[in-house]
Each structure stands twice: as C-alpha cells, then as structure tokens.
Amino acid sequence: MTSINNIKVLISEEKIQARVKELGQEITKKYEGKELTLICVLKGSFLFYADLVRAIRLPVRCEFISVSSYGAEKTSSGEVKLALDISTPLDGRDLMIIEDIVDTGLTLKYIRELLSVRNPASIACCALLEKPEARKVEVPVEYRGFTIGNEFVVGYGLDYDQRYRELPFIGLCE
Ligand code: IMP
C-alpha cells in the first residue's frame, strides 16, 4: 500500500475516477429525458459532486445543503444539525442527494425526511462510500461508489478535523 503523510491509500485516484464515470452513465440512463436536481451535502461531498455533475449527461440543477454531526471526532455525535438549507422550491423535481459517505445512516435519513415533505417527484441518493457494518438506521442508498469496512477514511473531500480534504484518493486515517 502506498502512503502520503501517514495516510495509506485505500482507493486510488484512478479507481475513483473510473467509478464516478460509471455512476454518471448509470444515472444518465436511468433519468433519460428528465432534469435532475443534484443536492451536494457539504462539505464532504464537494469533490465527488463536482466530478459526478460532469459525468452526468442530463440537464441538471445544482443545490447545496449543509448538515453537521461529527465536529472534531471520528464517531458521529448522533445529533444531526441543519447548517444550510435549500431556499428554492423543490415541488415536482427529481432529486438526487449526493453524499460522500453513509456511516450510521443518520445524516442521510435526516436529509431524506427533510426533503420528502417538499413534494418532490422523486428522491434518490448517490453515495461515494458506504460502511454497512456501521449502519444504525435503515435508509435507502440507490447508487454507491464503493463499500468499505468500519474504518475512518479521509481524502477526496472527506476530512478528519477539517484536514486531508484535498487528497485525490481515499485513504485510511490511523
Ligand atoms: P452518518 O450520519 O453517520 O451516516 O455520517 C455521515 C457523515 O459523517 C458523512 O457525510 C461524513 O461527513 C461523516 N463521516 C462518516 N464516516 C466518515 C469517515 O470515515 N471519514 C470522514 N467523515 C466521515
């Protein structure tokens, strides 16, 4: 395994980029003829979102939402707080929540419930990573990049105490 600054590469930049292209193609096929509203969950999804938006060949609208549950810890506080909401009406729109990682599932469940009461035509989620062993609540993830073990990862948007977001790969933070 290669390592940079004590961060061991778990998923390489090449693998991420190839998978993002595949996800883009899958989503394009599924929503053919429609306009999709892509919701970036800040901050962790910003790189994945920017790449995925360009891999989807559909008319899209870009929206941003921010929630927090971690602070400077490596485990979820279990309490999800809304820091930035979407101000545009979402009635009749096909929504896709773009998440960096689904860990306990609490954040995604909160966001899905928040958006579902705004009368969208549909809601789906595309997560770059999923940790099935850490799941605490049932919540659907329609599209996923990679499944990983119950370990803390950084890079490609993901942080530990606001660091390492700039790494182009997903690494293990020890
Ligand atoms: P959940 O609510 O426990 O599913 O956590 C979701 C959020 O926690 C993600 O959107 C991330 O911002 C953060 N998170 C969960 N696991 C990790 C990790 O391994 N590294 C960095 N952030 C993580």
Side-chain angles (χ1 to χ4, degrees), residues 41 44-45 69-70 74 76 80 99-108 131 148 151-154 158-160 165:
V41 185
S45 302
S69 64
Y70 271 63
K74 281 190 184 173
S76 170
V80 184
E99 262 283 27
D100 51 357
I101 187 164
V102 179
D103 184 18
T104 62
L106 286 163
T107 305
L108 182 57
K131 290 185 200 173
I148 60 168
E151 44 208 2
F152 198 84
V153 290
V154 293
L158 289 145
D159 74 308
Y160 172 52
R165 291 193 197 275

Side-chain angles (χ1 to χ4, degrees), residues 33-100:
K34 293 186 175 171
E35 180 190 75
L36 199 50
T37 297
L38 296 168
I39 299 167
C40 176
V41 185
L42 296 169
K43 300 178 189 170
S45 302
F46 80 108
L47 289 182
F48 177 45
Y49 185 85
D51 286 339
L52 188 64
V53 165
R54 288 175 288 178
I56 295 174
R57 304 280 182 226
L58 293 170
V60 299
R61 288 176 188 241
C62 297
E63 299 289 352
F64 300 83
I65 195 167
S66 175
V67 290
S68 64
S69 64
Y70 271 63
E73 305 303 319
K74 281 190 184 173
T75 53
S76 170
S77 66
E79 190 194 342
V80 184
K81 283 187 203 141
L82 183 64
L84 173 75
D85 199 356
I86 298 164
S87 51
T88 336
L90 300 175
D91 312 65
R93 293 223 218 150
D94 289 297
L95 310 181
M96 185 161 305
I97 301 162
I98 311 299
E99 262 283 27
D100 51 357

Side-chain angles (χ1 to χ4, degrees), residues 100-160:
D100 51 357
I101 187 164
V102 179
D103 184 18
T104 62
L106 286 163
T107 305
L108 182 57
K109 192 167 196 289
Y110 174 89
I111 296 171
R112 285 188 87 118
E113 284 169 3
L114 180 84
L115 300 177
S116 65
V117 295
R118 299 185 187 179
N119 300 317
S122 67
I123 303 188
C125 172
C126 177
L128 176 69
L129 302 169
E130 196 178 354
K131 290 185 200 173
E133 290 162 40
R135 189 62 74 86
K136 284 189 183 157
V137 289
E138 284 271 329
V139 58
V141 178
E142 286 81 359
Y143 302 89
R144 77 180 54 70
F146 305 91
T147 297
I148 60 168
N150 199 2
E151 44 208 2
F152 198 84
V153 290
V154 293
Y156 196 57
L158 289 145
D159 74 308
Y160 172 52

